[in-house]
Amino acid sequence: MEKQQSHEFRRPWDACREVPIIQDEQIPKKRVQCLKWFSYAIVGILVFALALLSKTSFLLLITFGNNNTEIICSEKKPAALLGIGFVLVGPSVLLLIKSTWKFIFKSAAMPSKKTVFWVLCVEFLVALGAAILTIVAMPHFDIVTNVMILNSVSILSAVFQVVAECLAKERKRIIMLPVCSIFLIVLGYVLFAVSYLAIERSPQMSISIGLAIVGTICVSVNWWENYSTLVSISFLEDISKDIAQSRNVVCIISSLMRILITSAVVGAYVPLSGQNWKSVTSVFETVVISMVALQIVSSALCSWFVVVACKMHSLKCSFALPIHMAQVAVLALFLIPLAFKLPESNQTSTCIENDQSKSSGALLRLMLTDATKTLRARDIVETMSTGGLACFIGSALSWWLGLMLSTFYIWFLKIHRIVRTQDLFVRRMYEGVFLEQSMLLNTRFEIRKRIKEKRCAKETIRVFLCATMWHETYDEMMKIIISMFRLDKYRPKTDNPSDVEFEFHIYFDDAFMDVDNGSQRHANEYAESLVDVIKEVYTIFSVEDPCIFKQTPPLPWQKIINTPYGGRLEYTLPQGNVMMVHIKDKQLIRHKKRWSQIMYLYYIFGWRLNRQYFKQFEAGEGLDDLKERLKREKENTYILALDGDTDFQPSAVMLLIDRLKLYPEVGAACGRIHPTGTGPMVWYQKFEYAVGHWLQKTAEHVFGCVLCSPGCFSLFRGAALMDDNVMKRYTTKASEASHCVQYDQGEDRWLCTLLLQQGWRVEYNAASDAYTNAPQDFKEFYNQRRRWGPSTMANTIDLLGSGGLTSQRNSSISKLYILYQIISLAASILGPATICLMISGSFVFILDINENIALALAIVPPTVYLILCFKLTSDMQIKIAAIMSVFYAFLMAGTVLSIIGDLVRQKTFLTPSGLFLIGMVVLYIITAALHPQEFSLVIYGLLYFLCIPSGYLLLAIYSIVNMNNVTWGTRETGGQAKTTAVDTIKKKVMNATCCKCPCLESEEDSSKEILPAETITETEEPHIPLETQGAEEFPLNAHQTWIEHLQMKSYDFPLHESALPMDEINFWRELQKKYLEPLKENKEQQEKMANELRELRNKVTFAFFFCNALWLVATFFLETIGDSVTIKIPKMFPDGTRSTTEMFSIDPIGLMFLLSFALLLIVQFIAMLYQRIYTLIHFVAYSDTEMKACRKQSHQVAQIQDSNPQYEMYEPDTALCFHNPSVLSRAVSSV
């Protein structure tokens, strides 16, 4: 065993392999590419169409105010000017509402007086310039000039770009673009003035021309903030920083200033121009209001889709190109009447107020024709003056090219995979009348040199994957180990800094057993199975070519270490990442999941993270620098919490990492959990999990925070876990009955409660898929939910109890969100009573009996079951629940058929029960359709419906009555690690064919390997528990038989015995002593806790079922009273007719509950729609960046192979080259 095996050829007659199923990313690349380009196309078309609508409707409003047009009567021109004013202030009103909401419920930081003064001055200039340009000047110009003059608002942005790039000493060819832009815009101004004043000799236009030029320059100040940090002016930098910190208040101030200035200009200009406001009273009877509404809506939607395009990394195809082409399309649209000679309007027939009978198509033709009158009114067009037309066309083209050159940087803008809107755009809101220009100029500008510097200085994210194990089966272990090796292959460890580094940890609870009548401790069969699984997976991932003509490299030496808590196995994975298996002995350290989590939290953050900076502090490094570096590393260190049977892909981890990288306030993020397994119980859970994620979790994510980030697959930020009242409080030992329920029965939910109360946000990413085994037996399922139900309620009540303080600390939790959670909690508490009412309705439908008798019949079975739960054992309670569930399922099936029959009998589906049933089915089908990969789960919806009484009535009773039972409930039996003899044979075949030469294993070795561990006792020494030893007596150098035992088990995957440093040993001793010392049995204390748990159970049971009883009694009395308190609803038929004789009756409480439930579902459905869009954005962005990275890596590998022809021809002594990251290009074909 001391000599490592040499390279050997496989036996040619026995070269076939059996390998476990290792699924790579399940979505084919071609399908992802199609999805990406389809999304790009849809968003690009929408941006183009909405920009076209926005610009067209605005320009029509401008032409309505032109004296040469007749679509609006001359005496009613002020209505058009008022419409332009509405368009100007529309975005400001939306910004005011949004910022006020955020000011009230989120950040309320106040800006300095200097900042307020600067903002007021800038907004005054911009608002005044925009109002003068659009209300005073543009109605006097032709349609072509109005289309293109708006592009000149980019002049100051081009100037700022030149200044910033000169200060940064950029290359001349880059600086020349904004220089050319300035030249073209100024040239446009000159040609514009010449065409009107010199060629047409229209001195009356000089004021309008001057106002237009001044107005565009004033408006161009609007995007100063895009360059404030680049021009090295400390005053502007300070202002920008202050605005960023007090954005909500600044936006409120700027919105109010815009609204006031615009109102003042409109109000003053109408009387000054000789018009009056009397005609405006009929504005809502004109086409003006339609144009205003169309412009505001299309502008808002277009700006949102532009954000979507940028976040999907489609800046060229779906943003820049459609926006620029929209202006060309608008121009072409207004020139159509000139080419096709559309019929002209006249004063008497086209004034909208005088002729309301025209169709929309006719009105559109008239409006377009009217708009061309502004062009025909120009002398250069009528006389076809060559010089005049040259100046006219030259000015329009110059402005358009000037905008393109000043925003040319967008075509080459590099953005992160996932980016916040505030990092894409400087200002929070678009400009309605300058939609295209504002979206382009508002896109954040960066110096290219600084972009390169940022890329070089990017910080590395360190992710520690920490899985907790106990009694997982062989197949379950295989899932988590394959997932870790898959991630190792995805991000190899290199000497060069990477964006993400991974380290793997497995914390194996209760991994030792007594042998030789308790005198020795050996690793139990579960730990041995884990070692076998790691060996098998290691072999698969390290063997590049299974060809029989290639020599099989030996597996490298790994470490096995004795530790104060049991033992540790340290593996260096094929691509260089490290995996540690911490084998825990429950006689040495506290066991169960929460204590394993505390173990890795303190090891990673306390020992690995804090200690290194403390050592640097002791070495004399600067305190301030150390604090800053430690803070950054806490923020960039993540823990991925896993269960021992979780299966996931690398993309799922990266998508969660993106969320934490993007939002510094996010303390945790979870993915979409898919239950796996077979049988009716798993089918039920598949739909239950789906509905919970589709609706409930998305609603929590959108409107507030996710309340539970499941411990089977969740990413946590180090800074959040190390915050006050989180990690330290998580170590609290349960000393009260309520602690046992809240702390130990649902540790992941309690940890999230601590994070939320401390002000951290918890998010949900629907594209991050993970798979975990679900209970397949009725008993195991009920016991699992027996833990989850009371723990969920306890943590929710705890969070709501501190709702006021939590909403102050946590900007994502508002008072409205707390109200939403209160309603949800009330609905879950009243679930049993609601099910009883539903069952009573079933009796009425099926048996045609009195409603009160039906209600009594519905209440009796659960009441009897409630009483039996206090008298019988939990196993017997579950058996009774199973039998009752079957009967209730038949009843639910009969109910559905009865409702359908009633709809047929009533000859209408517009009944309360019919609408409810149809509405629920339609809602779930639409929801499933929006999750196409999971649409097949709808099939399990029928089973879910049939099991509603079991899941919401019987299970609720069982959970509440057995609240005093705080055992884990699942995996308690300690079944065999290998599920069947077939798994053992499979393991042996893998060992023989894949891992080593068969001739090296003798009959004696084979027989030894399958002997029970208890029979190998010859070389063992008595085990001395840690609590009986002094701190100095820990046997550091003694011969540890458990190590030798595992070494013999892993002969062909050699484990080299190593030792921990003394300071780490001391760390573990101190940690054990303070937090993780094994709990000593104290019968008196246990009896006291049991009594307290029973007392808590009794109180909660009384309160819980008293609320349900009140609900049922209220319903009973309302039905007894009868018609005097019921609400009458007329019977409606599908054709819209109403029955005069038949009415539906519904009691007020039932109606209130029905409406509340429907409102809750609608709110969740809206949140789901919103979340689906952003999930698609994130997924497309991830796919795009990953594909580019893969192509870049493949190109680098190809270059290496071209420069080194002997790249793949290595000698046997170089067989361990899989530690080189370049082997990623020659990945195992089975992975």
Side-chain angles (χ1 to χ4, degrees), residues 303-452:
S303 67
W304 186 75
F305 278 108
V306 165
V307 174
V308 170
C310 294
K311 291 189 174 185
M312 289 198 314
H313 292 213
S314 183
L315 281 81
K316 297 176 185 177
C317 303
S318 305
F319 172 29
L321 182 62
I323 284 288
H324 285 301
M325 294 310 297
Q327 296 188 55
V328 178
V330 169
L331 194 59
L333 182 65
F334 282 109
L335 293 179
I336 285 175
L338 289 177
F340 293 97
K341 303 294 183 182
L342 294 180
E344 296 188 16
S345 61
N346 56 70
Q347 177 73 20
T348 59
S349 63
T350 62
C351 192
I352 300 300
E353 292 78 4
N354 298 333
D355 188 358
Q356 298 289 342
S357 61
K358 293 187 179 297
S359 65
S360 57
L363 284 177
L364 179 61
R365 287 196 301 272
L366 289 173
M367 285 188 287
L368 292 176
T369 305
D370 226 28
T372 59
K373 285 186 176 182
T374 62
L375 194 59
R376 292 194 182 104
R378 295 200 60 176
D379 293 340
I380 59 173
V381 176
E382 287 292 324
T383 61
M384 298 303 290
S385 169
T386 305
L389 289 175
C391 291
F392 177 56
I393 296 171
S395 64
L397 188 61
S398 296
W399 284 329
W400 188 66
L401 291 175
L403 177 67
M404 285 195 68
L405 293 176
S406 65
T407 58
F408 196 67
Y409 67 91
I410 295 175
W411 293 78
F412 303 97
L413 193 64
K414 302 294 183 183
I415 59 177
H416 297 293
R417 174 160 57 218
I418 179 171
V419 63
R420 304 181 77 166
T421 305
Q422 67 190 40
D423 296 326
L424 282 171
F425 300 99
V426 179
R427 297 182 63 85
R428 185 174 282 181
M429 190 58 70
Y430 62 96
E431 303 293 332
V433 298
F434 313 98
L435 179 64
E436 303 96 323
Q437 295 79 12
S438 68
M439 297 310 298
L440 292 167
L441 296 171
N442 198 30
T443 306
R444 193 171 292 278
F445 174 81
E446 287 189 353
I447 302 296
R448 297 194 184 185
K449 283 186 176 180
R450 297 190 183 182
I451 295 174
K452 293 179 181 178

Side-chain angles (χ1 to χ4, degrees), residues 774-800:
Q776 301 186 47
D777 298 329
F778 191 85
K779 176 183 176 181
E780 191 178 7
F781 171 75
Y782 258 54
N783 280 328
Q784 182 195 64
R785 301 310 169 92
R786 183 256 300 159
R787 284 190 295 112
W788 288 4
S791 171
T792 298
M793 192 174 297
N795 279 284
T796 304
I797 292 173
D798 182 20
L799 187 65
L800 295 178

Side-chain angles (χ1 to χ4, degrees), residues 1028-1076:
T1028 63
Q1029 303 172 12
E1032 302 81 8
E1033 297 174 350
F1034 184 80
L1036 296 178
N1037 299 315
H1039 183 65
Q1040 303 296 321
T1041 56
W1042 75 268
I1043 293 179
E1044 188 175 71
H1045 179 66
L1046 279 184
Q1047 285 175 331
M1048 287 191 299
K1049 288 284 185 182
S1050 185
Y1051 170 77
D1052 47 351
F1053 195 9
L1055 298 173
H1056 172 68
E1057 186 173 358
S1058 184
L1060 292 179
M1062 194 62 202
D1063 51 353
E1064 185 174 346
I1065 291 174
N1066 291 332
F1067 156 74
W1068 286 115
R1069 287 173 176 168
E1070 293 172 6
L1071 180 65
Q1072 286 170 268
K1073 185 176 180 181
K1074 187 164 187 179
Y1075 297 122
L1076 299 175

Side-chain angles (χ1 to χ4, degrees), residues 166-204:
C166 288
L167 291 174
K169 298 180 180 180
E170 276 282 10
R171 289 172 290 180
K172 290 183 179 179
R173 64 185 180 87
I174 296 176
I175 299 176
M176 285 305 297
L177 291 175
V179 170
C180 291
S181 174
I182 297 170
F183 172 77
L184 288 171
I185 293 172
V186 173
L187 177 63
Y189 285 144
V190 173
L191 295 175
F192 168 56
V194 168
S195 67
Y196 272 104
L197 302 179
I199 297 177
E200 291 188 348
R201 300 184 182 278
S202 304
Q204 70 275 12

